[in-house]
């Protein structure tokens, strides 16, 4: 069984937000409007977190793209009273909108703020939306799914063509869009895959590793280029 | 459940499935998208006309079809089957790959001499799950340990596969 994971090279990330926009287009993520944005209700499954370098007196900005980290031991799934969120056999933390009751316990449990609540019905069906992803209704929590629908599409294509599915065919929208190729995606359980090799590199670290959530999104530290 | 049934749908043409099946036209002969895409769709009028153009029958229903075809219009068929919006069901994988007969979900459409006003069968999630579980067990037994990873995952009952 595959174990999908991601490695983000912070040395390569330029903070261009292409991953953010690609994710929004791919997953029908609504624009919530200015009023809602002022209430901090912006939905963005992929978010580029910024940090100003203190030692350089603000001269240097750090960028950390943050999708759902797809924890291998996710705190959010443990608090869901209705099993609307769970870790699937391939390690993807899923959110079943039809089952979610909107209690937001999972949002409180997530140490990375990677879950978002639909305070209103933000969008209706319209041309240009991705038909492979549902529109979320008012009152449910949504999150990044590593573009799981793309995995299904790739598998479907492979079996229609009567061949084994190749993990290289499955790439989430953010990784595909990154112009700096900072995001590497693949199967962590395959030691020969690039993502597994990078995840074992000495530069690799995970966000809030000490919490024991075992995120499957790894980061590569910035090198010495920035001083 | 309300989303599944649209009561008393009336179609613009009294299409008889029975007559067409008796002429040995397979379901996918007209519903060609069922093998290619997610939605089975309805056949384009040009496809009906391809067979019917040459006939000089006096049947009023066929005359209606010809009128649409001559005007170059699509027949305004009304939808009978509708999946709830939170369910993703690809026809292609079920029809072309898994080779499940259309009747398994749609009921005995081949016996209809007029359009059905409502779906012949009402499906619930337990019907989907029952079929997946049963077929997975059967494939497991048949293939032994050789069941390919892809097949195993396609027959899974993982929620995110249909609710995404």
């Amino acid at each position: 069984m595959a174990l999908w994971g991601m490695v983000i090279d912070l040395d390569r990330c330029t903070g261009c937000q292409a991953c953010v926009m690609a994710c929004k287009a791919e997953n029908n993520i609504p624009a919530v409007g200015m009023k809602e944005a002022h209430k901090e209700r912006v939905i963005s499954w992929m978010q580029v977190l910024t940090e100003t370098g203190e030692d350089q007196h603000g001269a240097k900005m750090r960028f950390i793209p943050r999708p759902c980290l797809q924890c291998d031991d996710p705190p959010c799934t443990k608090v869901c009273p209705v099993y609307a969120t769970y870790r699937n056999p391939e390690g993807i933390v899923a959110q079943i909108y039809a089952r979610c009751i909107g209690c937001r316990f999972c949002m409180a449990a997530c140490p990375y703020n990677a879950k978002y609540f639909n305070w209103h019905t933000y969008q209706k069906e319209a041309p240009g939306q991705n038909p492979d992803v549902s529109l979320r209704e008012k009152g449910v929590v949504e999150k990044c799914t590593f573009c799981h629908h793309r995995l299904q599409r790739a598998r479907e294509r492979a079996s229609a063509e009567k061949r084994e599915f190749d993990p290289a065919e499955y790439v989430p929208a953010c990784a595909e869009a990154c112009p700096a190729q900072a995001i590497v995606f693949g199967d962590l359980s395959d030691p020969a895959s690039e993502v597994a090799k990078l995840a074992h590199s000495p530069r690799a670290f995970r966000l809030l590793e000490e919490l024991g959530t075992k995120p499957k999104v790894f980061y590569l530290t910035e090198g010495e280029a920035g001083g | 459940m309300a989303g599944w049934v649209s009561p008393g749908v009336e179609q613009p043409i009294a299409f008889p499935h029975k007559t067409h099946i008796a002429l040995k036209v397979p379901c996918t002969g007209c519903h060609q998208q069922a093998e290619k895409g997610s939605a089975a769709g309805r056949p384009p009028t040009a496809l009906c006309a391809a067979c019917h153009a040459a006939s000089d029958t006096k049947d009023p229903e066929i005359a209606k079809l010809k009128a649409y075809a001559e005007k170059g219009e699509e027949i305004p068929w009304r939808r009978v089957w509708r999946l709830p919006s939170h369910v993703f069901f690809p026809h292609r994988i079920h029809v072309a790959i898994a080779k499940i007969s259309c009747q398994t979900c749609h009921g005995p459409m081949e016996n209809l001499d007029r359009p059905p006003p409502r779906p012949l069968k009402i499906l619930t999630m337990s019907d989907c799950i029952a079929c997946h579980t049963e077929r997975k067990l059967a494939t497991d037994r048949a293939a032994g340990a050789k069941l390919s990873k892809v097949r195993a995952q396609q027959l899974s009952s993982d929620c995110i596969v249909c609710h995404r």
Side-chain angles (χ1 to χ4, degrees):
Chain A
M1 197 66 79
L3 192 68
W4 303 109
M6 189 180 267
V7 172
I8 303 177
D9 190 339
L10 299 182
D11 242 354
R12 283 176 173 260
C13 177
T14 61
C16 74
Q17 311 251 357
C19 51
V20 177
M21 292 320 287
C23 172
K24 288 196 182 203
E26 178 73 20
N27 293 298
N28 299 334
I29 293 171
V32 296
M34 200 165 64
K35 265 191 194 164
E36 292 290 291
H38 281 310
K39 294 179 192 164
E40 299 189 357
R41 293 174 180 179
V42 173
I43 298 177
S44 185
W45 293 3
M46 175 57 124
Q47 211 175 350
V48 178
L49 308 175
T50 53
E51 194 182 61
T52 317
E54 280 167 22
D55 35 343
Q56 289 93 9
H57 308 286
K60 189 170 184 295
M61 192 82 119
R62 295 181 73 202
F63 303 111
I64 306 172
R66 194 245 44 213
C68 164
L69 304 188
Q70 311 287 350
C71 306
D72 226 24
D73 196 358
C76 62
T77 61
K78 295 186 181 111
V79 295
C80 180
V82 292
Y83 303 106
T85 182
Y86 68 100
R87 178 197 178 276
N88 97 342
E90 291 178 283
I92 293 174
V93 179
Q95 182 88 23
I96 308 302
Y97 311 121
R99 181 156 261 218
C100 177
I101 54 169
C103 69
R104 295 180 280 144
F105 284 8
C106 59
M107 291 176 68
C110 176
Y112 308 102
N113 289 333
K115 297 197 136 187
Y116 297 89
F117 187 62
N118 284 271
W119 288 90
H120 299 280
T121 304
Y122 288 119
Q123 60 182 343
K124 288 189 188 119
E125 217 164 288
Q129 284 161 343
N130 185 353
D132 284 345
V133 181
S134 60
L135 301 181
R136 277 76 61 182
E137 282 173 23
K138 175 183 174 177
V140 301
V141 171
E142 60 179 73
K143 69 181 284 297
C144 155
T145 61
F146 266 174
C147 288
H148 179 265
H149 55 282
R150 288 189 168 208
L151 169 62
Q152 276 171 260
R153 206 193 300 151
R155 282 220 172 98
E156 204 179 303
R157 201 180 303 134
S159 55
E161 290 168 7
K162 298 200 170 48
R163 56 181 171 81
E164 277 290 319
F165 155 76
D166 174 11
E169 290 172 70
Y170 168 36
V171 183
C174 54
E176 191 181 64
C178 180
Q181 291 166 4
I183 306 178
V184 179
F185 187 80
D187 182 359
L188 286 171
S189 68
D190 173 11
S193 71
E194 195 191 348
V195 75
K197 282 181 198 159
L198 288 174
H200 286 103
S201 111
R203 284 172 64 206
F205 74 97
R206 297 185 278 186
L207 289 185
L208 302 179
E209 208 156 1
E210 65 279 13
L211 297 180
T213 52
K214 301 177 191 154
K216 286 193 290 296
V217 174
F218 293 77
Y219 292 89
L220 300 182
T221 49
E222 290 153 299
E224 289 165 14
Chain B
M1 285 300 291
W4 288 75
V5 193
S6 15
V9 174
E10 270 180 44
Q11 300 292 0
I13 296 180
F15 176 87
H17 276 88
K18 195 177 181 178
T19 319
H20 291 78
I21 294 287
L23 290 168
K24 304 257 184 279
V25 182
C27 306
T28 49
C30 301
H31 299 281
Q32 292 171 344
Q33 281 305 315
E35 282 179 319
K36 297 175 190 160
S38 290
R42 44 115 195 86
T45 310
L47 191 66
C48 311
C51 289
H52 283 285
S55 70
D56 52 354
T57 164
K58 294 282 176 294
D59 190 303
E61 298 302 319
I62 296 178
K64 277 193 221 166
L65 159 70
K66 282 183 171 174
Y68 281 116
E70 273 164 29
K71 279 187 271 175
E73 278 175 15
E74 288 301 321
I75 305 169
W77 296 115
R78 293 187 54 205
R79 197 164 181 163
V80 179
W81 281 87
R82 197 179 286 277
L83 270 178
S85 60
H86 59 268
V87 183
F88 287 79
F89 175 88
H91 270 84
R92 180 167 83 162
I93 212 154
H94 291 87
V95 177
I97 299 163
K99 310 253 182 252
I100 295 168
S101 82
C102 308
Q103 287 90 337
T104 311
C105 304
H106 289 278
M109 295 293 286
E110 72 276 15
N111 299 333
L112 296 175
D113 48 14
R114 61 192 169 84
R118 54 185 65 81
L120 301 186
K121 252 179 125 171
I122 302 290
L123 294 177
T124 62
M125 193 170 84
S126 354
D127 292 301
C128 304
I129 299 281
C131 195
H132 272 233
T133 316
E134 193 184 295
R135 286 177 74 95
K136 190 170 190 324
L137 286 175
T139 339
D140 278 348
R141 251 181 265 124
K146 279 186 286 179
L147 182 67
S148 81
K149 271 186 186 175
V150 177
R151 294 286 296 135
Q153 262 132 25
Q154 273 162 354
L155 280 167
S156 79
S157 306
D158 194 6
C159 314
I160 198 177
V161 172
C162 308
H163 304 292
R164 53 191 184 190

